[in-house]
Amino acid sequence: MKMKFTIVAASLALAFSASAAFAANAVVPPVVHEAPLRGHLSFLSSDLMEGRGTGQRGGDLTVAYLEAQALAAGLQPANGTSFRQLVKIAGVKASPADSSVVLEAGGAALSATYGKDWVWGPGDAQANHTFEAPLVFVGYGIVAPEEGGWDDYKGVDMKGKVLVMLVNDPQPTAAEPNRFNGKGLTYYGRWTYKFEQAARVGAAGVLLIHTDASASYGWSVVQNSWMAERFQLADADLGTGMQGWMNDATARALFKAGGQDLDQLRAAAEDKAFKPVVLNAKVKGEARAVVRPVDQFNVAGIVPGLDPKLKSEVVIYSAHWDHLGKQGTSGDTIYNGAVDNGSGTAALLAMAQEAVKAPAKRSQMFLWVAAEEQGLLGSAAYAAKPLWPAAKTAAALNLDSLNFVGPTHDISTPGSERTELGAMAVATAKAMGMRIADARPDLSGGYFRSDHFSFAKAGIPAFSIGGGRDWLADKAASDAKQKTYSPKYHQVTDEFDPTWNFAGMVQQAQFTLNLGQRVANAAAMPKWKAGEPLGKVREEKQ
């Protein structure tokens, strides 16, 4: 009984603070309610939805559900008469049993098992590749002129070679504590950048060396993603013929057999003077994969603005609807993705249900994007062919993996400080009796791993709203509960729990909607801070 009273009291407090945040407005402020959020999340993360997998029946069911719920909520179709935006994808699944490709070092094949020791697949959506490609260690594989002319390639011709790279980016030193954003990860540290750069230099392939520390997740996350069907945008720039990972033990064995010491080369790669090292090793044999075209969909609905002039501008609320779907043939095969990202998907539905009752001056778009787990594909497709002009998009506010522990005194807004959204977030939190969480080093590169980054690359002020950590309830117990999620990330155990304290999710959704409405009612669209490289993209569009 005490727990139920606490949740009800917290919900009432949230509703009151939401009203206070909009006291100056003539319209009744929209208040997000727990019941629809809980109901949508329960259904979206149930076994019936089969893990909402890209290219799977569960994904099709999810799109149909979102489309029906958007209509029921009173949203207007964002794509002419349709809520759907087509995202053309190529589905790729490696076929190691039908392949002869091996890692060879010192003239002998290395004992490396697909899945256990290394994973690979085509990055160019082609089913068959034959390799006789030397391996070259290129350190972090980074070209960053703004970092004192950092260039791991040093002009060496990489055509026809398979590049071996470290994950993450060069670490800070006593002499250069702020290089590559200090302890925080930059985009140069993301695997997506490394694959892109390998293609730019004409390499035949790229293999990343995984460690838990450098990737910020375990080898099982890599296994679950790469042993299943993977996806890439069908009409995007093509990647290399081989993309893949090897675990640390495999990399050590490979380098040793090839006459090199991995630890010594790792240390050398921390210096800007590092030069590529040709290993006495190669990738040899035929790599086969199954490739198929897949049509997926973003789902988007509009709350039209009220101001005759400003309604031509829009605020976007986004969340990715996909997870990892069904994998395997025995045991629990469904990756339900309750927190990631059934929670954000459900929150947007609950927010939309209320937003239609209180339109703002600018229009508002509720956008559920596809294939985030495959590399932000749905949001990238939207950014490439937006349903609303980027130059007329005031902001994009993203929700991914909501707070299931309970309400907090703070709210996390990493990346908001890059634009005028930062000050608006501070004002929104203050109006709700909250504060912005203290900034923490972005060790895992979170700013570059969520869908808001696709919008930011298009010049749109954007960031993801995260849960706080200054709990209203018992700190030790709340911290302990929060830590229970890490082992469930991208595992079949990320399942709906009816005992969650949904007041934390409601609070996060309410803050996002309050901030969105603040932007939608502002006199002018927020701008990027001076000197922000991403801000130049918008300037060029206007």
Side-chain angles (χ1 to χ4, degrees):
M1 182 63 71
K2 183 177 179 180
M3 176 63 75
K4 290 182 178 179
F5 176 78
T6 301
I7 294 175
V8 171
S11 297
L12 289 173
L14 288 171
F16 177 79
S17 60
S19 298
F22 286 88
N25 290 347
V27 298
V28 176
V31 176
V32 179
H33 296 286
E34 177 182 321
L37 196 160
R38 176 191 285 267
H40 290 307
L41 176 52
S42 175
F43 183 74
L44 286 164
S45 58
S46 70
D47 283 356
L48 287 171
M49 303 303 279
E50 301 179 353
R52 308 187 306 280
T54 298
Q56 298 183 10
R57 191 175 83 100
D60 295 339
L61 292 172
T62 303
V63 169
Y65 181 79
L66 293 173
E67 190 174 37
Q69 293 300 322
L71 181 63
L75 296 177
Q76 294 186 10
N79 191 14
T81 60
S82 176
F83 288 101
R84 299 188 181 200
Q85 180 189 32
L86 177 62
V87 181
K88 297 188 75 63
I89 291 174
V92 177
K93 192 175 192 303
S95 300
D98 302 318
S99 303
S100 62
V101 67
V102 295
L103 294 170
E104 191 176 277
L110 193 73
S111 177
T113 303
Y114 187 89
K116 176 178 173 290
D117 303 310
W118 72 318
V119 293
W120 49 262
D124 57 1
Q126 299 299 307
N128 300 318
H129 289 279
T130 300
F131 293 96
E132 183 81 28
L135 288 168
V136 182
F137 178 66
V138 293
Y140 287 102
I142 292 172
V143 176
E146 72 278 13
E147 290 287 346
W150 191 286
D151 181 359
D152 283 326
Y153 296 90
K154 302 296 190 297
V156 177
D157 184 7
M158 295 298 168
K159 290 182 175 63
K161 300 176 176 66
V162 173
L163 312 184
V164 181
M165 300 186 193
L166 301 174
V167 180
N168 215 292
D169 45 26
Q171 300 303 294
T173 65
E176 296 179 285
N178 296 316
R179 73 175 187 176
F180 288 94
N181 197 33
K183 293 182 179 180
L185 187 72
T186 70
Y187 187 58
Y188 294 116
R190 291 283 293 137
W191 59 266
T192 47
Y193 166 81
K194 297 175 189 298
F195 287 167
E196 291 164 359
Q197 185 59 30
R200 282 192 284 267
V201 298
V206 54
L207 293 171
L208 306 181
I209 300 175
H210 173 275
T211 67
D212 290 5
S214 62
S216 78
Y217 43 77
W219 180 249
S220 64
V221 174
V222 177
Q223 287 176 306
N224 289 339
S225 296
W226 284 72
M227 294 183 72
E229 185 178 28
R230 297 183 306 111
F231 301 88
Q232 51 198 257
L233 290 177
D235 54 359
D237 293 337
L238 296 179
T240 57
M242 172 177 282
Q243 296 177 342
W245 297 66
M246 67 179 82
N247 60 29
D248 189 62
T250 301
R252 288 181 180 280
L254 176 70
F255 278 58
K256 183 177 180 180
Q260 298 288 344
D261 184 291
L262 178 56
D263 288 332
Q264 289 182 1
L265 290 181
R266 274 190 170 123
E270 296 295 333
D271 194 307
K272 187 170 67 175
F274 168 84
K275 295 181 179 179
V277 176
V278 179
L279 305 177
N280 182 19
K282 59 185 174 182
V283 173
K284 182 178 181 179
E286 188 173 23
R288 292 178 175 268
V290 177
V291 180
R292 67 182 177 113
V294 179
D295 286 350
Q296 293 292 270
F297 297 92
N298 296 331
V299 179
I302 298 290
V303 178
L306 298 177
D307 186 273
K309 181 179 179 180
L310 297 181
K311 68 180 181 181
S312 64
E313 299 171 354
V314 74
V315 174
I316 295 177
Y317 309 94
S318 65
H320 75 88
W321 58 255
D322 66 301
H323 196 56
L324 303 181
K326 296 180 71 174
Q327 299 182 30
T329 58
S330 62
D332 188 351
T333 61
I334 298 177
Y335 289 73
N336 302 83
V339 173
D340 181 16
N341 185 35
S343 61
T345 303
L348 249 64
L349 287 170
M351 292 159 57
Q353 181 176 316
E354 301 307 316
V356 295
K357 304 172 185 176
K361 293 179 180 179
R362 289 181 177 82
S363 298
Q364 298 170 82
M365 179 187 296
F366 290 83
L367 174 64
W368 294 269
V369 293
E372 184 270 356
E373 301 289 5
Q374 307 301 325
L376 316 184
L377 301 187
S379 56
Y382 178 93
K385 298 178 180 179
L387 299 178
W388 206 285
K392 290 285 189 177
T393 302
L397 307 176
N398 188 60
L399 286 172
D400 191 343
S401 301
L402 271 59
N403 165 21
F404 63 90
V405 177
T408 59
H409 295 290
D410 60 345
I411 194 80
S412 178
T413 62
S416 66
E417 74 282 353
R418 298 168 181 262
T419 73
E420 292 175 348
L421 287 174
M424 302 176 87
V426 170
T428 301
K430 183 177 181 180
M432 293 178 66
M434 303 169 68
R435 62 177 178 81
I436 300 301
D438 295 335
R440 294 179 290 179
D442 187 5
L443 301 179
S444 63
Y447 185 76
F448 312 105
R449 291 172 59 181
S450 285
D451 285 304
H452 69 261
F453 187 56
S454 295
F455 299 104
K457 287 198 295 183
I460 299 167
F463 69 98
S464 290
I465 292 86
R469 292 292 184 272
D470 186 4
W471 316 104
L472 267 63
D474 180 79
K475 175 174 173 52
S478 297
D479 282 341
K481 187 173 183 180
Q482 175 63 36
K483 290 177 182 177
T484 64
Y485 179 67
S486 182
K488 300 177 182 178
Y489 174 68
H490 280 200
Q491 306 299 318
V492 295
T493 47
D494 182 5
E495 298 180 308
F496 180 81
D497 185 345
T499 68
W500 282 336
N501 185 340
F502 280 80
M505 294 191 188
V506 173
Q507 182 184 55
Q508 202 170 336
Q510 188 68 66
F511 173 85
T512 305
L513 186 55
N514 287 4
L515 175 57
Q517 290 238 332
R518 184 180 293 273
V519 175
N521 286 315
M525 296 197 305
K527 298 179 180 178
W528 288 87
K529 293 290 185 65
E532 269 292 333
L534 293 170
K536 296 179 181 178
V537 179
R538 162 161 283 182
E539 293 172 4
E540 293 170 357
K541 292 178 181 290
Q542 291 178 329

